[in-house]
Amino acid sequence: MFDLFREISQTLRNNKLRTALTGFAVAWGIFMLIILLGMSRGVYNNFNSFASADNANTMGVWGGWTSKAYKGYKEGRSIGLKDSDLPKIMQSDRRRISSAQGSIVLDSANISTATDYITDAMYGRYPDEVRYAKLRMAYGRFLNQPDMDMKRKVVVISRQNARILFGDESKAVGQYVKAMSLAWQVIGVYDHDWERGSYVPYTTAMMLNGNDGRLSEIMVRITDVHTIEEGEDVEQSVKTALAAAHEFSPDDRSAIHIWNRFNNYLSNMQATGILNIAIWIIGLLTMLSGIVGVSNIMFVSVRERTHEIGIRRAIGAKPRSILLQIVTESVAITTLFGYIGIVMGTIVTGLVAKLTEGTDFLKDPTVNISIAVQVTIVLIIAGALAGLFPAIKATKVKPVEALRDE
C-alpha cells in the first residue's frame, strides 16, 4: 500500500502543471456544488421556519361574500363565521379533523400603563396557540385552561411591547395594563420573529364581543392526512358543512375562504425537492469538466507508462493490480482537489450565513455533515469512473508489445 501511494505521489510531481489545471477544474466544480447546495439548504431552512410540521396540519377558515344566488338568497350576501359552526365542522369528518377552534380578533386597542401606551391587536385564542404559533415564552406563562374556564382578564404580550410599556420586559409579569376600559394582568411575555400582538383567553374575548358567537377565524386541525388529494377532501368536507349551516352553494368559491396550509406545505416541499435535484444536476454537470480532465490525465499516464506496465505484466503482475493502481490514482487526484473545493465552499457558505443572518431569504445556508458525506461519496464514485476506462486500457496492454514501446 505504501508503494502504491508513493507511485501516485511521483505521478503528481512529474506532471505538476497538467495535474494542477485539471485539479482546479475538479475543485471549482465541487466548490460550485457546495455553494449551490448551501443556498438550497438556506431556502429550505427558511421555509421550515415559517411552516413547521405542527402548524402545517391546519386550515384557516374566514367568512366571505356569496357570488351565487341560492335557495332564494341573492348573491352578495355576507357570510360570517360563528361559534356554533365548530361542532358542525368536527362532525363533517371525525376521522381526519382532530379539532376546530375559533379565533377572535378584537379591534386594535390602546394598551396603556401609567408611563406609556401602544396600539395593537388583541387576539382571543386557545392555550395551544403557543405551540402552533411557535411563540417562545421569555417570562411567565401562556394562557391555560383555568384562564378559559374562569374568563380571566389576563394578557400575554410581546417582548417588544413589554419593553415599551414597562421599560424592562423582565418586570412585566404580574403588572397590570389598561385596554378596552378594563384592567388586564400580564401573565407572560413572549418572543417571536415577527408577531407583536397580545393574546387573551378566547372565552374572555367572546364575552367582550357580547357573546354573539361571531368569530374572526376558525382554525381546523387535521390528522392522518398524507397527500394533497386527502387534504382537498377534508377541505371540501369543511366547505360542505359550512354551506349547509349558512345556506350558500357548496361550489361558491367566494362565500368562505380556506387557507389549506397542509396542501401548501406539501406543494412547497415538492418544489424544494425539485430545486434540490436541479442543483445537484447543475453541480454535477459543472464538475463533469474536471472529471473528464482527470480521465484524460490517466489516459496520458497509461500511455507514458506503457513500458513500465509491460515489465510489471512480464514479471507476473496481475491485471487486477494494474487496474487497482490506475483507479486509485484517479480517486486520489479527484478527492484531493475535491476536498479543496469543499473547504473553500464551506468557508464561503459560512460567510454568506453571517451576512444573511436575520434576513427573510436565507437561514443558515451552511454545509452540514450530511451534505459533506454525500459530496465525498460523489467524489469517490466520480474518481473511480474517471480512472476506470484508462485502467481497463492498461490491463489490455500485452507484455511483449509494451516492452517494445519506447
Side-chain angles (χ1 to χ4, degrees), residues 26-27 30 334-344 372 375-376 379:
V26 174
I30 293 296
T334 306
T335 304
L336 172 63
F337 289 99
Y339 269 106
I340 293 175
I342 290 177
V343 171
M344 297 304 298
V375 173
T376 300
L379 280 173

Side-chain angles (χ1 to χ4, degrees), residues 274-287:
I274 293 172
L275 173 64
N276 197 49
I277 292 173
I279 284 175
W280 268 102
I281 293 174
I282 294 172
L284 291 176
L285 290 176
T286 304
M287 193 174 65

Side-chain angles (χ1 to χ4, degrees), residues 154-371:
V154 292
V155 62
V156 179
I157 62 178
S158 68
R159 170 173 276 179
Q160 292 78 4
N161 288 344
R163 190 177 301 121
I164 294 173
L165 293 172
F166 299 101
D168 184 353
E169 61 265 29
S170 64
K171 299 178 180 179
V173 176
Q175 301 295 321
Y176 285 84
V177 296
K178 186 175 182 181
M180 304 179 69
S181 301
L182 295 172
W184 301 78
Q185 185 179 25
V186 178
I187 59 172
V189 176
Y190 73 87
D191 195 12
H192 196 267
D193 293 335
W194 68 86
E195 184 59 68
R196 300 291 183 269
S198 302
Y199 293 89
V200 301
Y202 169 79
T203 51
T204 307
M206 180 66 74
M207 181 181 63
L208 291 176
N209 255 7
N211 289 318
D212 58 4
R214 289 183 293 116
L215 301 178
S216 304
E217 176 188 357
I218 293 177
M219 185 66 67
V220 180
R221 317 285 184 193
I222 61 178
T223 185
D224 196 27
V225 178
H226 308 286
T227 65
I228 291 179
E229 290 74 19
E230 291 177 346
E232 290 175 347
D233 288 343
V234 179
E235 182 178 336
Q236 187 58 48
S237 298
V238 174
K239 285 182 179 179
T240 302
L242 292 176
H246 294 272
E247 296 187 296
F248 63 84
S249 175
D251 59 355
D252 191 337
R253 299 177 64 87
S254 64
I256 60 169
H257 303 288
I258 297 181
W259 179 19
N260 193 330
R261 291 184 177 91
F262 176 76
N263 282 6
N264 187 60
Y265 178 80
L266 286 186
S267 299
N268 286 334
M269 287 296 291
Q270 290 176 358
T272 304
I274 293 172
L275 173 64
N276 197 49
I277 292 173
I279 284 175
W280 268 102
I281 293 174
I282 294 172
L284 291 176
L285 290 176
T286 304
M287 193 174 65
L288 184 60
S289 60
I291 300 305
V292 171
V294 172
S295 185
N296 288 336
I297 279 184
M298 300 316 299
F299 270 117
V300 173
S301 177
V302 169
R303 181 71 185 89
E304 291 176 345
R305 295 155 63 186
T306 301
H307 194 74
E308 173 194 333
I309 294 172
I311 294 174
R312 294 181 61 182
R313 291 293 306 278
I315 61 177
K318 295 181 179 180
R320 184 175 60 183
S321 65
I322 305 295
L323 182 72
L324 178 62
Q325 179 184 354
I326 303 299
V327 171
T328 304
E329 288 184 16
S330 177
V331 171
I333 294 173
T334 306
T335 304
L336 172 63
F337 289 99
Y339 269 106
I340 293 175
I342 290 177
V343 171
M344 297 304 298
T346 302
I347 293 172
V348 171
T349 53
L351 292 175
V352 173
K354 290 290 184 182
L355 294 174
T356 58
E357 189 174 1
T359 65
D360 295 331
F361 176 61
L362 293 174
K363 185 173 182 179
D364 190 25
T366 55
V367 179
N368 57 16
I369 297 297
S370 175
I371 294 178

Side-chain angles (χ1 to χ4, degrees), residues 88-161:
K88 296 173 183 176
I89 291 175
M90 288 289 297
Q91 293 170 6
S92 67
D93 193 338
R94 290 183 177 275
R95 183 175 67 85
R96 294 184 291 195
I97 295 179
S98 59
S99 70
Q101 298 180 353
S103 172
I104 299 173
V105 180
L106 302 173
D107 293 335
S108 294
N110 285 332
I111 305 174
S112 62
T113 61
T115 58
D116 214 331
Y117 75 95
I118 59 171
T119 301
D120 213 334
M122 296 184 71
Y123 303 111
R125 297 289 169 86
Y126 285 73
D128 57 5
E129 182 70 16
V130 64
R131 178 163 59 96
Y132 290 111
K134 301 178 71 173
L135 305 179
R136 302 180 294 273
M137 296 307 300
Y139 304 98
R141 63 172 177 85
F142 197 69
L143 308 171
N144 58 24
Q145 194 59 43
D147 296 332
M148 299 275 288
D149 296 338
M150 300 176 67
K151 300 179 182 179
R152 291 171 176 166
K153 292 186 286 295
V154 292
V155 62
V156 179
I157 62 178
S158 68
R159 170 173 276 179
Q160 292 78 4
N161 288 344

Side-chain angles (χ1 to χ4, degrees), residues 54-69:
D54 282 338
N55 60 24
N57 292 339
T58 62
M59 294 182 184
V61 185
W62 296 269
W65 300 80
T66 60
S67 60
K68 297 180 180 181

